[in-house]
Amino acid sequence: MEMSLTMLFDKAMVRELLTVWPAKPALHSPPVDSRIESIVNAELINGYLAGGTAPAEQLIVIKDGTALHSRAYTTDGYLDPGKIAKWRGRGYTVQLRNLHRWCPVVNAMCSAIQNETGYGTYATGFVTPAGAQGLYHHWDQNMGLVYQLAGRKTWQIWEPGVEEPHNGQFASNTSPGSDVLNRMKSMRPDFELDLEPGQILILPRGWMHNPHARGQTEESIHVTFVARERTGYWIAGKLAQAALTSTPLRRVIPPASVVDPAAFAGQVAAARDLLTQWLAGADVTALAAELLHEARTEPNVDYISHAPRHNPNVHHR
């Protein structure tokens, strides 16, 4: 079995995923012959924390929405296993960001998913003590495939309050998305479930969620594979970059035609027309081949943070 979506879903589900990208949450289990449990598991995640080998700059240690400063769990800039164990014992969630950057097996998994879908893929892990909560209500800007490794986690999920959130557009931690989030928090969730070990939650972008282990008696560990979906906006941006080959578009605009509003409006119109002309004559087949290669191989895909910044007024014992 290939290290790709087929490790998470059966072949029929993979075909469906590639054809009709999910728009609603759903629960699944890996195929019976999948090797995912022997590759990505709780021992892998705990090993990085207990051994102090996880990169400290990729960790967030957080409880009830408040994150610790990295000095609270590092020594000489490196992750300190004893300190991490102490904070876990006090109910702090440990988030391991960008696992695909420093965990070889997760890197292979994300690379295979990206090659299969054309969607840049990253992974982040969460270790939440029993009875605790790290992050509060938020939604993500991309699809999440939440794979529960150990324990159980409660997921309260709300239908999207914004249409087609996209990277910095309508993020739940910035206005106007944060305003929508505050209104939605007073509403009852549309779905509520306890994610069991071995289960996978498909969580489409924009669905607000409040994950926690407050009612659980065992520590929860999960890894989320995040697929950075391609959109028409992505293609448009790449086409605009490709238009750099147009000599007229590279010509300098005199300062007087920039600072004068009327003259600058004329320059904007001229650039629009030049871009339109260039696009009309572009070799779509050749451009599509270049963009497909980039979609499958581009490395600049990282975790989009929904965690609050460290509050310097919070002191640590």
Side-chain angles (χ1 to χ4, degrees), residues 8-304:
L8 298 173
F9 308 103
D10 60 42
K11 292 181 179 179
M13 182 58 195
V14 171
R15 286 194 297 270
E16 183 178 335
L17 275 172
L18 297 178
T19 306
V20 183
W21 197 241
K24 293 184 177 181
L27 281 178
H28 292 270
S29 297
V32 292
D33 59 343
S34 174
R35 295 185 294 114
I36 188 69
E37 291 185 11
S38 63
I39 295 174
V40 181
N41 49 45
E43 289 74 20
L44 175 72
I45 302 301
N46 278 323
Y48 281 116
L49 299 180
T53 53
E57 69 276 7
Q58 293 294 349
L59 298 189
I60 292 179
V61 182
I62 185 169
K63 180 180 181 181
D64 296 333
T66 300
L68 298 177
H69 192 284
S70 60
R71 288 193 298 269
Y73 50 87
T74 59
T75 297
D76 297 328
Y78 293 95
L79 180 64
D80 187 316
K83 291 179 179 179
I84 277 287
K86 176 188 70 176
W87 293 116
R88 288 170 71 177
R90 294 181 180 180
Y92 277 77
T93 289
V94 180
Q95 181 183 11
L96 302 90
R97 298 174 298 171
N98 297 319
L99 278 169
H100 64 295
R101 294 288 192 182
W102 46 276
C103 176
V105 293
V106 174
N107 175 274
M109 185 81 176
C110 290
S111 296
I113 293 174
Q114 180 170 352
N115 182 66
E116 189 173 27
T117 62
Y119 292 174
T121 305
Y122 65 87
T124 183
F126 288 86
V127 179
T128 300
Q133 181 168 11
L135 295 176
Y136 278 136
H137 301 72
H138 69 279
W139 64 74
D140 299 309
Q141 303 300 85
N142 296 102
M143 170 73 76
L145 306 175
V146 184
Y147 178 41
Q148 188 72 17
L149 308 182
R152 292 169 177 79
K153 199 159 199 177
T154 300
W155 288 79
Q156 296 176 309
I157 305 173
W158 289 256
E159 290 189 3
V162 299
E163 187 176 7
E164 303 293 353
H166 188 282
N167 293 345
Q169 183 71 13
F170 296 124
S172 61
N173 58 350
T174 59
S175 184
S178 56
D179 302 325
V180 176
L181 180 137
N182 288 332
R183 291 198 302 269
M184 292 177 63
K185 284 163 64 174
S186 64
M187 303 165 57
R188 293 177 61 86
D190 296 291
F191 301 96
E192 185 164 354
L193 57 93
D194 284 354
L195 197 60
E196 305 276 344
Q199 287 186 321
I200 300 162
L201 170 64
I202 292 180
L203 186 62
R205 61 177 177 161
W207 286 75
M208 186 174 78
H209 46 282
N210 181 43
H212 62 82
R214 292 190 180 278
Q216 307 299 336
T217 58
E218 297 179 2
E219 181 179 67
S220 165
I221 303 177
H222 77 262
V223 169
T224 300
F225 297 94
V226 179
R228 192 79 63 82
E229 296 110 326
R230 305 301 179 188
T231 64
Y233 182 80
W234 179 79
I235 295 175
K238 296 297 182 182
L239 289 176
Q241 292 176 20
L244 188 61
T245 59
S246 168
T247 301
L249 281 169
R250 298 201 309 272
R251 291 197 177 110
V252 173
I253 302 171
S257 295
V258 175
V259 297
D260 178 80
F264 190 53
Q267 292 291 339
V268 171
R272 177 201 60 198
D273 295 341
L274 286 169
L275 178 59
T276 301
Q277 293 168 14
W278 183 89
L279 290 172
D283 185 339
V284 175
T285 302
L287 283 171
E290 292 178 13
L291 292 183
L292 175 58
H293 175 73
E294 188 168 350
R296 283 177 162 163
T297 60
E298 67 175 356
N300 188 24
V301 179
D302 281 318
Y303 172 75
I304 300 176

